[in-house]
């Protein structure tokens, strides 16, 4: 399936609304999401059977031309096969939207494509295994791309194919006004169930004035360095320390109590008899309580990061962050829980597209740049600085301040001369090489939901002789 490319001046983002469906609508939502799961599992079994049959025939010396015909896993091939067999394998197919089945087939095509790319080496990262079947108690989701997909003029309902008019908990005024004004076009709608609650996410192509700042946004400064941490969500070079809500830590006591209660209930598996059994209603209610706590933790964490990154993109013209190796940092078992709770990699991901929305510039410092060990006043680099030392003391100039504030100031100082060079006021100093990258256009890098980076990160490179690390800013 070809990715949608918006025209120039348009970006693709998501609008997510919590639904308040009736009991009959809940059954319809579950029916359509179940249809997506059924189509995925059935076609996966078919592809697996053909793959095993061909391997068995090849082991007996059957020629390639005489092997069982291969079942293609592209979306058109899967859809063509499904339309031929759906009358026999799913006689109830007419009760659900065709988009529900297409959701499962599209997910299977993507999963098999990723598996093949991983085996051939064209996909980076850890080697992927063969796709697994989706379980009934897994994540329920279905995507609608055609049909009646719109927001109601009453600002309190959404329209979905085969599901009708569903009430929302919050107002849809922002999206409805954009659609009415012609500055937004709804591309698709995805319904998901999270901890017993249903949500609808609209993928929307929006005409956005890139670089336009809100009238209420104050002009706090030009350059800011942001040091993501654990004790504080982020520390700015201005001296501001953004508190970390630590939602998982706050809910740990309640979560532990709920999980112990769920462990005492009769679940769907009997460990003594080693067989499946019917789960009790109390077990299901206990599992739902655990899921609600986990969803609350995730929502609080996402809200804190969105508020911070939006404020940074609106108030500052240049933002500098670090390229953190979070996957390696969480290997420290003493910091793994706190790091995962803070989710420091979210900072760069959100700023990647929000800086493009508000006309800011994002720079990413190299992973090995010693921002914490370098004195922000005299640029002296300490040979060692343990994690337990929370205050930075410079033996050369006598500077003493919080180590995170010191690191944030060093990050901000990396690109201050970049802005001066762009303005023509000064040149890079002391033999430094600077190559600023300007932001991309609003429409050239879209095609993803708002939870993913839309605009490429603006990067600069700088070389210095102050320390052994020659790369301070690296292109990503």
């Amino acid at each position: 399936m070809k990715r949608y490319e918006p025209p120039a001046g348009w970006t693709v983002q998501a609008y997510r609304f919590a639904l308040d469906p009736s009991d009959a609508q809940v059954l319809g939502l579950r029916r359509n999401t179940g249809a997506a799961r059924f189509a995925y599992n059935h076609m996966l079994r078919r592809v697996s059977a053909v793959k095993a049959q061909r391997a068995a025939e090849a082991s007996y010396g059957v020629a390639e031309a005489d092997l069982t015909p291969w079942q293609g896993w592209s979306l058109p091939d899967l859809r063509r096969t499904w339309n031929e067999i759906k009358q026999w394998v799913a006689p109830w197919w007419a009760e659900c939207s065709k988009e529900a089945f297409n959701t499962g087939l599209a997910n299977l095509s993507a999963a098999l494509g990723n598996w093949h790319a991983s085996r051939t080496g064209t996909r980076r990262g850890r080697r992927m295994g063969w796709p697994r079947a989706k379980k009934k108690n897994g994540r329920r989701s279905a995507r609608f791309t055609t049909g009646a997909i719109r927001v109601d003029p009453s600002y309190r309902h959404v329209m979905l194919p085969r599901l009708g008019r569903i009430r929302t908990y919050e107002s849809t005024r922002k999206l409805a006004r954009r659609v009415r004004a012609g500055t937004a076009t709804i591309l698709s709608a995805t319904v998901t169930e999270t901890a017993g609650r249903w949500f609808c996410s609209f993928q929307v192509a929006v005409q956005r004035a890139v670089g336009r700042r809100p009238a209420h946004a104050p002009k706090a400064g030009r350059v800011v360095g942001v040091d993501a941490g654990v004790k504080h969500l982020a520390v700015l070079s201005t001296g501001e320390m953004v508190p970390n809500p630590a939602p998982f830590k706050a809910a740990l006591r309640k979560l532990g109590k709920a999980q112990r209660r769920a462990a005492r209930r009769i679940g769907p598996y009997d460990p003594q008899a080693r067989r499946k059994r019917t789960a009790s209603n109390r077990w299901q209610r206990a599992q739902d309580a655990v899921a609600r706590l986990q969803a609350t933790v995730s929502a609080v964490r996402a809200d804190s990061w969105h508020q911070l990154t939006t404020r940074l993109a609106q108030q500052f013209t240049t933002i500098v962050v670090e390229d953190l190796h979070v996957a390696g940092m969480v290997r420290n078992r003493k910091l793994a829980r706190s790091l995962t709770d803070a989710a420091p990699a979210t900072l760069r991901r959100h700023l990647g597209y929000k800086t493009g929305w508000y006309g800011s510039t994002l720079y990413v410092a190299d992973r090995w740049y010693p921002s914490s060990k370098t004195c922000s006043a005299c640029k002296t680099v300490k040979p060692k600085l343990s994690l337990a030392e929370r205050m930075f003391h410079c033996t050369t100039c006598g500077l003493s301040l919080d180590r995170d504030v010191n690191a944030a100031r060093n990050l901000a100082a990396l690109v201050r001369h970049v802005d001066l060079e762009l303005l023509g006021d000064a040149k890079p100093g002391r033999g430094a090489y600077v190559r600023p990258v300007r932001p991309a256009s609003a429409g050239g890098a879209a095609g993803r939901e708002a939870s993913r980076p839309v605009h490429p990160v603006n990067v600069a490179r700088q070389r210095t002789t102050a320390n052994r690390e020659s790369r301070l800013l690296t292109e990503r």
Side-chain angles (χ1 to χ4, degrees), residues 14-40:
Y15 287 81
R16 187 168 184 254
F17 304 102
L19 300 179
D20 183 19
S22 63
D23 294 340
Q25 290 172 338
V26 170
L27 293 177
L29 290 169
R30 291 182 176 178
R31 186 183 301 114
N32 281 270
T33 55
R37 178 189 58 83
F38 181 87
Y40 180 96

Side-chain angles (χ1 to χ4, degrees), residues 347-399:
L347 172 68
R348 177 179 170 182
R349 180 164 59 89
H350 286 337
L351 289 177
Y353 65 88
K354 291 184 180 180
T355 51
W357 287 358
Y358 300 108
S360 306
T361 307
L362 178 64
Y363 292 90
V364 179
D366 184 68
R367 181 176 299 173
W368 304 109
Y369 172 59
S371 59
S372 298
K373 297 180 181 180
T374 305
C375 177
S376 58
C378 64
K379 304 304 178 185
T380 302
V381 181
K382 278 192 172 185
K384 290 184 179 181
L385 183 65
S386 64
L387 192 61
E389 299 181 47
R390 305 313 305 168
M391 295 295 296
F392 181 87
H393 302 282
C394 182
T395 58
T396 303
C397 65
L399 178 68

Side-chain angles (χ1 to χ4, degrees), residues 306-323:
H306 274 295
Q307 290 193 28
L308 173 62
T309 53
T310 300
R311 180 164 62 90
L312 291 176
Q314 290 179 350
Q315 294 184 356
F316 298 94
T317 57
T318 304
I319 306 171
V320 190
V321 298
E322 287 183 300
D323 180 21

Side-chain angles (χ1 to χ4, degrees), residues 261-262 264-268 277-290 292:
R261 183 185 297 110
R264 293 192 295 265
R265 304 296 186 234
I266 298 177
R277 61 187 178 188
T278 303
S280 65
N281 293 332
R282 288 189 175 186
W283 178 88
Q284 187 60 52
R285 288 196 294 268
Q287 295 295 329
D288 294 342
V290 174
R292 285 193 297 270

Side-chain angles (χ1 to χ4, degrees), residues 1 73-81 109:
M1 182 181 295
W73 59 51
S74 66
L75 182 56
D77 291 339
L78 293 175
R79 187 184 296 157
R80 189 179 305 110
T81 304
S109 177

